[in-house]
Amino acid sequence: MKIRGICYRCGAEDELIDGLCPICYAQEHPLIEVPERVEIEVCHMCGSYKRKIWQTPKSEDAYEILYEIAYYATKDAIKKKSVMVDFEIYPKITQLPGGKRSKLIIPVHIVAKGRLPGEKEDRTYEKDIEVHLQMVQCPRCSRFMSNYYEATLQVRAMNRYLTEEEREELDNFVREELAKRLKKDRMAFIAKFIPQKEGLDYQLGSVGAARNVAQKIKERYGGKITETATLVGVDRNTGKDLYRVTVSVRIPEYKVGDVVEYKDRYYQVTSITEDKVYMKSIDYRREKIGLSWHVAEKETKMVKKNEELDTATVIATTPNIMVMDDKNYEVYEFDNIGDIEVKEGDKVKILKKEGVPYLVNKVKEDKNKK
């Protein structure tokens, strides 16, 4: 409550706030509270810093990282005395830390503006403090250095080994996805990479990362994910059982265009999605079907890769399609049911199985070929 009177601090006559004139009140009641020295833990290995939880810096530039650390260390230490107060923080970065045992002090200038309840006009309050960086090793890096891991990600192919091309492509894909995941999951690191003759194994610091990357592989290549857990001990602090999880993702045995066998009939793979493989029979019925991966893995098998199928040249289209084998010049005749539109001179792919020829499809023209 404001009344006019004599300030008990300086003796001036003025409108009083809690017995003080506006000048003395401002001196006795700063707009913010902040200690002269603020300390913050910073990992000397990865540059992360601890607020309530460990944070990964937004930038990769050393000066920008230090600015960010000093800014948030100061911001967390400031207590505003009123909702009508705003402040600006100005760290002054003049040096970089020299290593694990180095000490770094960052001067910070704070400018607060606003007013407290009972004051008529806004005022400015400035203060200089120091932010002291304590160089430590964060839990993530500590676990990384001790080869800690929570999950194993296994990358395989159904009913066969990965090819060298697939191994290289999938390894690059896994590492790219983990790099993206690290931005929100600091434990998404590779503790150990273990190439196997049948595929790729990654020991990862996070179960969530293993599940996430397995799902990304499935979304891109199709296939099946399985998960198992092994008891490895008991947490000393909580008494809860500790498990290591193995997440296995198996990409399809075949690709679009390959010929597979299913229930004693031959099909060409026409499409692969995250959940299913779609196929079309290569007999006269040209039946289209879709199989979930858990069925496809058990009940289909590779017959011939698309690039390994024989080729033939169309020599007639009515009443039936007649083709000449490009290798042995044998002539084969197929029912013309309109499923494959060809004309004389076109190239087609054929499958010869146990002396029986099957017309698979028309060879697509190379648009770049002149």
Side-chain angles (χ1 to χ4, degrees):
M1 179 178 181
K2 292 183 180 180
I3 58 173
R4 192 166 186 84
I6 304 299
C7 174
Y8 69 78
R9 186 171 183 267
C10 69
E13 182 179 355
D14 207 328
E15 286 191 350
L16 303 180
I17 309 173
D18 295 338
L20 295 170
C21 68
I23 295 176
C24 289
Y25 184 83
Q27 293 174 347
E28 290 286 325
H29 299 85
L31 297 174
I32 59 173
E33 274 187 14
V34 61
E36 302 286 340
R37 169 175 170 157
V38 174
E39 295 183 350
I40 185 169
E41 291 183 339
V42 180
C43 180
H44 68 90
M45 293 187 65
C46 68
S48 62
Y49 56 96
K50 186 177 181 181
R51 297 179 73 186
K52 290 183 179 179
I53 60 174
W54 284 89
Q55 307 279 338
T56 300
K58 298 179 178 66
S59 174
E60 295 182 359
D61 178 79
Y63 284 94
E64 291 181 4
I65 291 173
L66 291 177
Y67 187 97
E68 179 182 335
I69 292 171
Y71 177 88
Y72 284 111
T74 304
K75 181 180 179 182
D76 292 343
I78 291 176
K79 293 181 180 179
K80 295 198 305 181
K81 292 298 189 68
S82 169
V83 295
M84 295 180 287
V85 174
D86 293 314
F87 57 82
E88 298 290 339
I89 299 171
Y90 302 99
K92 301 175 183 177
I93 311 300
T94 58
Q95 66 179 107
L96 298 177
K100 181 177 180 180
R101 299 183 181 278
S102 67
K103 295 181 179 179
L104 183 61
I105 299 173
I106 301 176
V108 177
H109 184 65
I110 306 168
V111 179
K113 293 182 180 180
R115 63 183 183 273
L116 301 182
E119 293 184 299
K120 284 184 175 181
E121 298 180 355
D122 288 350
R123 55 187 167 98
T124 299
Y125 173 77
E126 300 187 29
K127 186 170 182 177
D128 291 306
I129 69 167
E130 292 181 343
V131 174
H132 291 240
L133 275 59
Q134 296 181 334
M135 309 308 292
V136 299
Q137 191 175 78
C138 70
R140 172 194 179 276
C141 289
S142 178
R143 290 178 174 180
F144 177 77
M145 294 300 292
S146 62
N147 294 321
Y148 170 90
Y149 69 99
E150 289 184 355
T152 298
L153 172 66
Q154 294 181 335
V155 185
R156 303 284 189 269
M158 296 178 178
N159 304 317
R160 64 175 176 82
Y161 292 163
L162 292 175
T163 65
E164 287 302 317
E165 292 77 11
E166 287 173 331
R167 294 169 76 94
E168 181 178 356
E169 181 179 343
L170 285 163
D171 182 55
N172 289 334
F173 183 79
V174 168
R175 295 176 187 276
E176 288 172 3
E177 290 300 320
L178 285 172
K180 297 176 186 176
R181 179 79 182 180
L182 268 172
K183 295 178 181 179
K184 54 183 177 181
D185 181 358
R186 286 175 39 79
M187 297 300 291
F189 58 79
I190 299 175
K192 193 174 184 180
F193 172 53
I194 311 172
Q196 307 282 4
K197 64 178 182 179
E198 62 268 29
L200 308 171
D201 283 5
Y202 302 84
Q203 292 179 350
L204 305 180
S206 164
V207 175
R211 290 169 176 160
N212 176 262
V213 176
Q215 184 61 35
K216 294 293 184 182
I217 293 173
K218 183 181 176 184
E219 289 173 4
R220 180 163 179 170
Y221 298 94
K224 182 180 177 183
I225 297 173
T226 57
E227 184 174 313
T228 58
T230 303
L231 181 65
V232 294
V234 178
D235 190 302
R236 295 179 180 178
N237 296 321
T238 64
K240 294 182 179 180
D241 292 338
L242 295 177
Y243 292 89
R244 280 220 175 102
V245 175
T246 297
V247 181
S248 179
V249 55
R250 294 194 293 281
I251 66 171
E253 180 182 5
Y254 31 75
K255 299 178 180 179
V256 171
D258 294 344
V259 175
V260 302
E261 184 178 350
Y262 173 62
K263 292 187 175 180
D264 299 323
R265 292 173 64 190
Y266 300 119
Y267 294 80
Q268 185 179 40
V269 178
T270 56
S271 177
I272 288 176
T273 68
E274 176 184 350
D275 300 312
K276 285 188 175 183
V277 55
Y278 294 90
M279 307 182 295
K280 180 170 64 176
S281 68
I282 59 175
D283 55 20
Y284 68 93
R285 285 177 281 188
R286 297 288 165 174
E287 178 188 21
K288 297 179 180 180
I289 62 172
L291 301 177
S292 61
W293 285 115
H294 74 275
V295 173
E297 182 180 18
K298 295 177 180 178
E299 300 186 25
T300 65
K301 65 178 181 179
M302 170 76 82
V303 175
K304 203 85 167 181
K305 292 182 178 180
N306 181 50
E307 60 269 23
E308 296 175 350
L309 292 168
D310 293 320
T311 60
T313 303
V314 177
I315 57 177
T317 58
T318 56
N320 294 324
I321 298 175
M322 298 184 69
V323 303
M324 179 182 291
D325 192 305
D326 290 338
K327 287 185 179 179
N328 58 24
Y329 305 110
E330 288 188 27
V331 176
Y332 308 114
E333 184 176 353
F334 303 99
D335 291 334
N336 190 346
I337 59 174
D339 180 73
I340 300 178
E341 295 183 2
V342 292
K343 60 182 182 295
E344 292 184 14
D346 283 346
K347 294 289 184 180
V348 294
K349 289 192 174 183
I350 58 175
L351 171 71
K352 288 178 285 185
K353 203 69 177 172
E354 298 177 351
V356 180
Y358 296 87
L359 178 59
V360 180
N361 64 357
K362 177 183 175 182
V363 176
K364 293 182 179 180
E365 296 181 1
D366 187 353
K367 295 182 181 180
N368 296 322
K369 188 175 180 180
K370 295 182 180 180

